[in-house]
Amino acid sequence: MNVNDTEVIFSILGKEGYERTEDINEADVIMANTCSIRDNAEQRIWGRIEQFSHHRKKRGAIVGIVGCMAERLKTDLLDSHKVDLVAGPDSYRSLPELLSKITPDNPQINVMLSHEETYGDITPVRIDKNGVSAFISIMRGCNNVCSYCVVPYTRGAERSRDPHTIVREACDVWSKGYKEVTLLGQNVDSYLWKGPDGESVNFAKLLSMVAEISPELRVRYSTSHPKDISDEVIETMAKYDNICKCIHLPVQSGSDAMLEKMRRRYNREWYLERVAKIKSVMPDCSITTDIIAGFCGETEQDHQDTLSIMKAVGYDYAYMFAYSERPGTLAAKNYPDDIPLEEKTRRLNEIIELQNTLSLESNRRDVGEVFRVLVEGPSKRNPDELCGRASNNKMCVFPDKIHKVGDYVDVKVLSCTSATLICSVV
Ligand code: SAH
Ligand code: SF4
């Protein structure tokens, strides 16, 4: 999401004559687009601000902090006297004006959140390296108030972008040679756009509109919310070969008590029913997740419930985190962050270890299968091999001297590790 926001910023600043440089020593303006989701994300930015200080003092470079951390800390960032610009996620259109007003004694800040801003009319300037896969934001903000989560405070209320601008953007990247788009939102299942003349587009409809652009354009999306993922979305995915068969369905915890406290608004039974529905319609669909270890008051039994739901689902992949208290959230206000760090780490490590086993089992089940892979580039380990993802989002590597980045190649899975499928071209 931040990569895509940065692409929006490049577009806005590019129109004003700013150019992008990869060399920090050459930059007149240095901006960090930030994440506040966990404390360690913010700590890294404080480290970067220190590094930027040198360029600010020696060369007079302007240092800007944009994104969620700007929104969360507001003027506190200016108090550090190391930052000239603070701009929240909804204020990027004002960046040229803010930049023009900055002087050494006059830092600028805009942290207004908006109920309307979707940057729908802005064509992001792509900063990805391979030119194959592009992110497209379909909505901004979030209306859920999961008790641990800072997103609703830093990114504001949920708003859906005009679907016609989304389709236009997808057509544009397709015409430029891209082969895959990933539609982004904090909770894509609640995407809902109502046009002035009564037209109404929900997420399932949007998916089919984008999938119809070309059968050769792959469509991915993230993130689904277990309470909202609808049968209509699942059936739409099944209907189109080019909608990739992978659903990111963050469970967070396997314990009903924790899910309730997290205000996720589903329970274990509901979650497992949604997974059963997905598997009944698309048996080959991979399911990935996010998990938080050591949330407030989590007992050993709650933790065991997380391990057991992981096994019950058999996740193909997971992002796993230790709970990090975020100031201002409902959890920070209401529940003590009472699991000692050592215990959180132990639980997290158990979760990671189990996921490694599950990922390996999942990959082993694919040995012998034939997958259509979209080539992303040479494999990291061996320049004579190519790598690319199958529809189920698994990374495949295979020796190949003929195909190139952006080609579709059919490969057979010969063996695997927990992270990669080792294949040969069919
Ligand atoms: N909108 C998505 C998730 C966005 S944040 C959803 O609801 O699923 C990405 C992930 O970060 C979350 O799924 C959660 O697992 C993790 N996360 C969010 N807040 C956190 C916190 N305070 N501590 C640790 N992990 C957190
Ligand atoms: Fe945060 Fe919950 Fe919204 Fe996801 S759905 S962004 S976890 S509040």
Side-chain angles (χ1 to χ4, degrees):
M1 205 158 267
N2 267 358
V3 169
N4 189 234
D5 276 8
T6 301
E7 295 175 330
V8 166
I9 293 173
F10 275 125
S11 176
I12 292 168
L13 291 181
K15 287 211 176 71
E16 301 295 318
Y18 287 87
E19 274 177 49
R20 181 175 175 224
T21 173
E22 301 258 350
D23 178 4
I24 194 166
N25 295 303
E26 196 180 84
D28 302 315
V29 178
I30 303 167
M31 278 199 251
N33 195 354
T34 59
C35 174
S36 289
I37 198 85
R38 284 168 292 277
D39 184 54
N40 56 9
E42 289 197 357
Q43 291 312 321
R44 282 212 296 274
I45 294 298
W46 284 114
R48 297 301 288 278
I49 292 174
E50 284 304 320
Q51 291 167 8
F52 300 157
S53 271
H54 166 77
H55 297 273
R56 191 167 175 266
K57 274 197 223 128
K58 282 252 164 80
R59 304 192 291 109
I62 288 173
V63 171
I65 298 299
V66 304
C68 286
M69 195 172 161
E71 193 62 50
R72 197 180 81 74
L73 295 177
K74 303 185 170 61
T75 51
D76 289 359
L77 278 164
L78 297 179
D79 294 344
S80 71
H81 298 291
K82 289 177 177 155
V83 170
D84 306 289
L85 168 74
V86 174
D90 287 344
S91 70
Y92 299 150
R93 282 180 207 268
S94 70
L95 283 173
E97 194 195 339
L98 295 170
L99 284 167
S100 72
K101 285 188 185 157
I102 291 170
T103 63
D105 307 318
N106 194 18
Q108 297 292 313
I109 178 164
N110 183 353
V111 287
M112 283 282 285
L113 285 173
S114 155
H115 282 279
E116 287 91 33
E117 181 62 274
T118 61
Y119 301 111
D121 56 318
I122 292 178
T123 306
V125 173
R126 303 290 161 190
I127 56 173
D128 65 297
K129 295 272 183 336
N130 63 16
V132 173
S133 184
F135 294 120
I136 300 184
S137 284
I138 63 164
M139 58 208 296
R140 297 184 71 85
C142 183
N143 278 358
N144 294 312
V145 194
C146 301
S147 61
Y148 52 81
C149 184
V150 77
V151 169
Y153 307 95
T154 59
R155 298 186 78 91
E158 181 185 286
R159 60 229 105 114
S160 296
R161 178 177 170 190
D162 180 335
H164 305 291
T165 69
I166 297 170
V167 170
R168 205 184 309 139
E169 192 176 326
C171 286
D172 179 58
V173 296
W174 169 245
S175 72
K176 289 182 173 137
Y178 285 80
K179 294 287 177 62
E180 183 176 86
V181 293
T182 302
L183 308 180
L184 296 176
Q186 291 297 351
N187 178 3
V188 291
D189 302 293
S190 62
Y191 176 89
L192 186 62
W193 182 81
K194 289 205 162 78
D197 48 6
E199 184 189 5
S200 168
V201 176
N202 65 7
F203 183 58
K205 174 79 177 124
L206 178 71
L207 265 181
S208 61
M209 286 163 74
V210 178
E212 295 276 350
I213 292 172
S214 164
E216 296 285 298
L217 177 68
R218 276 187 167 182
V219 185
R220 298 185 183 277
Y221 67 89
S222 192
T223 300
S224 295
H225 196 301
K227 80 177 160 60
D228 296 321
I229 185 168
S230 66
D231 291 355
E232 195 190 357
V233 164
I234 297 168
E235 278 147 19
T236 305
M237 284 181 76
K239 196 171 139 198
Y240 291 91
D241 276 348
N242 59 328
I243 302 183
C244 291
K245 303 297 178 277
C246 175
I247 299 184
H248 187 57
L249 198 64
V251 68
Q252 315 299 358
S253 168
S255 147
D256 282 347
M258 288 297 107
L259 289 171
E260 166 100 41
K261 225 170 171 179
M262 290 174 166
R263 290 178 114 247
R264 288 291 285 178
R265 300 197 282 161
Y266 54 82
N267 58 20
R268 187 181 167 103
E269 187 187 348
W270 171 277
Y271 186 94
L272 289 171
E273 186 281 325
R274 289 288 77 195
V275 170
K277 174 73 193 186
I278 294 165
K279 292 286 183 187
S280 74
V281 178
M282 297 177 288
D284 295 333
C285 187
S286 63
I287 298 183
T288 61
T289 202
D290 294 346
I291 294 172
I292 298 177
F295 186 57
C296 313
E298 187 187 72
T299 63
E300 180 58 30
Q301 185 55 50
D302 295 324
H303 169 59
Q304 292 300 327
D305 290 347
T306 295
L307 297 174
S308 77
I309 204 167
M310 290 172 70
K311 287 184 206 149
V313 178
Y315 290 113
D316 299 279
Y317 189 81
Y319 298 92
M320 299 153 283
F321 316 102
Y323 171 58
S324 165
E325 186 179 80
R326 307 312 291 130
T329 57
L330 293 175
K333 285 182 197 153
N334 297 325
Y335 313 121
D337 178 13
D338 54 1
I339 308 300
L341 184 59
E342 203 178 310
E343 180 61 15
K344 264 186 203 168
T345 311
R346 179 191 68 82
R347 292 179 192 178
L348 178 62
N349 286 340
E350 276 183 22
I351 289 168
I352 293 171
E353 206 172 303
L354 172 59
Q355 186 52 48
N356 284 340
T357 312
L358 294 175
S359 296
L360 184 61
E361 281 172 10
S362 154
N363 286 351
R364 280 195 183 135
R365 285 194 293 274
D366 288 340
V367 172
E369 297 285 334
V370 171
F371 289 137
R372 173 150 291 195
V373 164
L374 174 59
V375 178
E376 288 178 15
S379 121
K380 277 196 195 113
R381 296 239 176 105
N382 180 349
D384 292 335
E385 294 189 340
L386 294 177
C387 71
R389 287 178 193 277
S391 170
N392 64 12
N393 209 31
K394 289 185 185 175
M395 184 53 92
C396 302
V397 295
F398 46 95
D400 187 339
K401 289 204 182 343
I402 298 162
H403 294 98
K404 54 183 193 318
V405 174
D407 284 351
Y408 285 107
V409 185
D410 289 332
V411 300
K412 183 169 185 171
V413 184
L414 306 175
S415 64
C416 67
T417 67
S418 65
T420 314
L421 301 179
I422 295 148
C423 311
S424 65
V425 176
V426 176

